Amino acid sequence: MSTALAKDILEYHFLSKHRPEKYADSLPFLDWDNQPSPFQEYLGTTKLELPFLQRSLGLGAEFLYQPVAQPARPVDLESVGAFLELSLALSAWKSYGDESWALRINPSSGNLHPTEAHLVLPQLSGVFHYQPLHHQLEQRAALGAATVPLAAILGQGFWVGLTSLAIRESWKYGVRAFRYCQHDLGHALGALGFAANLLGWKVKLVNGLGTEELGQLLGFPKVRWTPGEEEEPEALVWVGPGEPLTEVPTEALELLAGLDWTGTPAKLCEDNLPWQPNEEAALYSRQSHRPYAPVLLPQRPWSKTRPQLYDAETLVRRRRSGQAYQAAASVMDQDRFFALLEATLPRQGYAPFDLGLPCPPVHLVLFVHRVTGLTPGVYLYCRAEESLAQLKEVLDPRFLWSPFGDSGLFLLEPGDARQMIGQACCNQAIAANSTFSLGMLAPFGGVGEDASLYRRLFWACGLVGQVLYLEAEAAGFRGTGIGCYHDDQIHDFLGIKHQEFQSLYHFTIGGAVEDQRLTHQPPYDAKRNR
Ligand SMILES: Cc1cc2nc3c(=O)[nH]c(=O)nc-3n(C[C@H](O)[C@H](O)[C@H](O)COP(=O)(O)O)c2cc1C
């Protein structure tokens, strides 16, 4: 299949736009026999079974965001097992007829799961790949004599390196795959942030590290990849209790470069199809080593109380995407709606936005259909007051900008937006027949000067998406990420002419109708205590 090539990240963005008359290039059919495996396995590695939580943590859902009062868990096999169980592990198996598939704690576009995780763990004296299928660590290197100096560098914490396997997404979504990998990465970062909080830990992004150095830190130059199946280094986070480490000293890179690395990734599919624009997008948006100023978030109290249906652990385990919504079950109380919006605001010291992502905040354009006391219509939720003047300048002058007190919410245009947004979201009924759906408007102007910002903007959207998933679930509703939408149809509606803002991700929330044809099984074999 021949497809247009991109010469820079802005052109990739253009090429990967869906338009009603022409979707971004992808295969005209789904080659089911050639679907890449959703599970990466490093062959020839020693496997370390991670334990599952034996007792509930007994924490309220608010502790997903706010730090727990009790002492932090020490980093050991048990707590690392709990951390991954509550962030990147399987959450259930579903089946229909002869088909069954796994769902995970973190969502993923098309359930294709391009995100992989590697852990540098002095506490377990090794570097490991996380295998969610069996909740195992695959040991890619023993730290040996490097254990003590790395432990001294890392303090009480450890590193998690996240990577993407774009081929899993491009198999289905062609040129748009790189975007979806970045959304999923943001969701994974959010899931890690929430799980860490429950253990009294923090997750901090190591911002200054270049993409290539991250690959070196993870031992990638020594891996024998199947061509086209290379993992793309994305982000490194420090995780743990105590004082976070926000950079990687050269000494650590040298120690890791000197290790004996083992393990060869199993082939993911028979005949992989490299989608060149995705490879180019990865190349163009790589980050070089550079310093970043620390990211400071506002100190902000929660003004709304939110009755929670579930404790924190139940909530992360039962998070699912809605497949279809029912009008009668999709009416949301106004207080809940405002509380849900407030949960998306960045706050100093609160997960998941205290990660330290150097990136301007994204704003929400809401298509409100069924919130009590709120006129149906199009609204804007401004997540950072300093952006308001620019938003008012850029968006269509016809908009009303009627404020709701000082909540940050503005009514732009009353009216029934269901047909418009349903159609703009690739004719997906879940965007129209819901409580509300929304687009995430990202300040896009900086991408021209710093192409690595492209990835971070999508991660920022994924973080907001992860909050929305959990908030919807906590309210007895259900959320769904929407990656399929006609980009410029949204921009035209909003009056955006010059890419100052771009809608990079959509989302919808409603009262879900369960598909009764599907059966559910627990995520892991009962023999392993779960
Ligand atoms: C980035 C992203 C984009 C998505 N886009 C869509 C979409 O356009 N339409 C849809 O029905 N579901 C969409 N989903 C939902 C996924 O299909 C869903 O997360 C996946 O099937 C796994 O199911 P789960 O979320 O219940 O674990 C998206 C999810 C993510 C994370």
Side-chain angles (χ1 to χ4, degrees):
M1 163 117 203
S2 75
T3 188
L5 301 182
K7 68 172 186 322
D8 58 23
I9 200 68
L10 293 176
E11 197 172 351
Y12 166 77
H13 185 62
F14 179 80
L15 287 177
S16 58
K17 284 184 172 179
H18 282 329
R19 300 173 175 85
E21 67 285 2
K22 187 185 180 307
Y23 280 49
D25 282 347
S26 65
L27 274 187
F29 58 94
L30 283 181
D31 182 2
W32 289 107
D33 294 337
N34 205 28
Q35 178 178 6
S37 163
F39 298 107
Q40 176 76 298
E41 186 188 352
Y42 280 76
L43 302 170
T45 51
T46 306
K47 318 283 187 214
L48 195 62
E49 289 212 336
L50 286 165
F52 293 103
L53 273 169
Q54 294 302 308
R55 273 181 296 117
S56 158
L57 294 171
L59 292 168
E62 66 275 21
F63 292 106
L64 291 163
Y65 299 94
Q66 75 191 50
V68 279
Q70 63 209 42
R73 302 273 172 123
V75 175
D76 54 23
L77 189 68
E78 207 177 302
S79 57
V80 170
F83 172 60
L84 292 167
E85 184 185 347
L86 297 176
S87 54
L88 304 179
L90 305 190
S91 56
W93 283 90
K94 280 198 175 188
S95 43
Y96 176 64
D98 295 340
E99 295 283 317
S100 52
W101 60 95
L103 297 179
R104 303 196 197 180
I105 301 289
N106 55 317
S108 167
S109 32
N111 202 25
L112 302 175
H113 289 283
T115 312
E116 295 290 332
H118 300 259
L119 294 87
V120 180
L121 266 165
Q123 296 82 352
L124 302 181
S125 203
V127 183
F128 305 90
H129 166 249
Y130 177 55
Q131 168 54 279
L133 179 60
H134 304 297
H135 196 46
Q136 284 175 338
L137 293 178
E138 300 177 331
Q139 182 162 336
R140 298 185 44 231
L143 292 183
T147 306
V148 173
L150 274 173
I153 290 169
L154 276 155
Q156 295 178 60
F158 58 96
W159 280 320
V160 179
L162 295 176
T163 68
S164 293
L165 269 162
I167 189 156
R168 289 203 184 116
E169 291 282 332
S170 58
W171 163 78
K172 184 170 182 188
Y173 297 118
V175 171
R176 211 162 159 99
F178 180 76
R179 293 182 178 211
Y180 295 158
C181 291
Q182 305 309 317
H183 289 126
D184 282 14
L185 211 287
H187 278 287
L189 285 170
L192 293 176
F194 284 135
N197 236 23
L198 299 179
L199 300 167
W201 300 352
K202 278 288 154 210
V203 168
K204 290 285 173 196
L205 207 56
V206 181
N207 283 315
L209 196 70
T211 309
E212 202 180 318
E213 287 165 300
L214 175 54
Q216 283 163 11
L217 187 147
L218 300 176
F220 283 0
K222 308 259 176 74
V223 176
R224 271 185 292 123
W225 302 106
T226 300
E229 297 187 1
E230 298 87 353
E231 292 178 34
E232 170 69 14
E234 300 278 6
L236 184 73
V237 288
W238 178 94
V239 184
E243 198 48 43
L245 178 74
T246 51
E247 57 184 45
V248 177
T250 316
E251 188 198 347
L253 283 174
E254 286 166 2
L255 286 166
L256 289 159
L259 301 179
D260 280 334
W261 293 87
T262 54
T264 303
K267 208 169 179 328
L268 293 172
C269 58
E270 275 315 302
D271 184 15
N272 65 54
L273 247 190
W275 280 84
Q276 222 170 322
N278 288 306
E279 296 182 346
E280 286 165 348
L283 200 67
Y284 299 139
S285 61
R286 278 186 191 146
Q287 180 173 295
S288 47
H289 181 106
R290 53 173 281 195
Y292 279 95
V295 178
L296 293 175
L297 302 181
Q299 302 280 355
R300 213 193 296 255
W302 290 90
S303 69
K304 314 271 182 224
T305 50
R306 296 164 299 144
Q308 307 290 357
L309 291 173
Y310 310 102
D311 63 75
E313 214 180 302
T314 309
L315 199 56
V316 296
R317 290 189 201 280
R318 58 166 288 131
R319 181 214 61 76
R320 298 279 184 281
S321 293
Q323 313 283 308
Y325 296 127
Q326 200 184 20
S330 294
V331 180
M332 187 182 279
D333 181 57
Q334 192 184 123
D335 285 349
R336 191 78 209 201
F337 173 74
F338 278 104
L340 188 148
L341 290 183
E342 202 197 11
T344 70
L345 292 179
R347 298 184 158 76
Q348 192 64 29
Y350 282 68
F353 300 112
D354 63 345
L355 173 75
L357 183 64
C359 178
V362 300
H363 306 282
L364 311 181
V365 180
L366 296 133
F367 303 88
V368 175
H369 313 312
R370 297 184 182 99
V371 176
T372 50
L374 234 62
T375 311
V378 184
Y379 292 75
L380 187 118
Y381 187 56
C382 180
R383 291 178 64 245
E385 223 182 308
E386 63 273 18
S387 313
L388 192 58
Q390 196 198 359
L391 282 162
K392 285 186 172 173
E393 197 184 301
V394 167
L395 300 193
D396 199 302
R398 78 178 189 277
F399 291 142
L400 301 175
W401 291 99
S402 308
F404 282 75
D406 57 1
S407 66
L409 186 73
F410 297 85
L411 173 62
L412 299 183
E413 190 167 75
D416 184 347
R418 284 178 295 177
Q419 197 188 355
M420 186 279 284
I421 194 59
Q423 203 242 319
C425 287
C426 306
N427 298 307
Q428 299 191 75
I430 48 169
N433 188 27
S434 59
T435 306
F436 63 91
S437 67
L438 59 88
M440 299 186 199
L441 260 197
F444 203 72
V447 175
E449 286 108 64
D450 174 7
S452 70
L453 178 61
Y454 192 68
R455 295 193 194 195
R456 295 195 296 278
L457 286 171
F458 281 92
W459 302 351
C461 292
L463 285 176
V464 173
Q466 194 64 14
V467 170
L468 292 172
Y469 262 117
L470 294 189
E471 285 297 307
E473 205 75 44
F477 290 66
R478 196 142 262 182
T480 305
I482 296 191
C484 190
Y485 58 92
H486 305 142
D487 303 62
D488 287 339
Q489 217 175 342
I490 304 289
H491 302 140
D492 291 347
F493 171 80
L494 294 172
I496 296 170
K497 297 199 170 59
H498 305 294
Q499 298 214 143
E500 303 95 325
F501 288 91
Q502 292 283 280
S503 188
L504 297 186
Y505 190 21
H506 280 240
F507 204 91
T508 185
I509 290 179
V513 188
E514 296 295 336
D515 188 339
Q516 301 299 339
R517 297 165 306 167
L518 305 185
T519 52
H520 301 238
Q521 285 86 38
Y524 295 100
D525 193 335
K527 285 195 286 274
R528 287 205 57 207
N529 293 329
R530 186 154 278 290

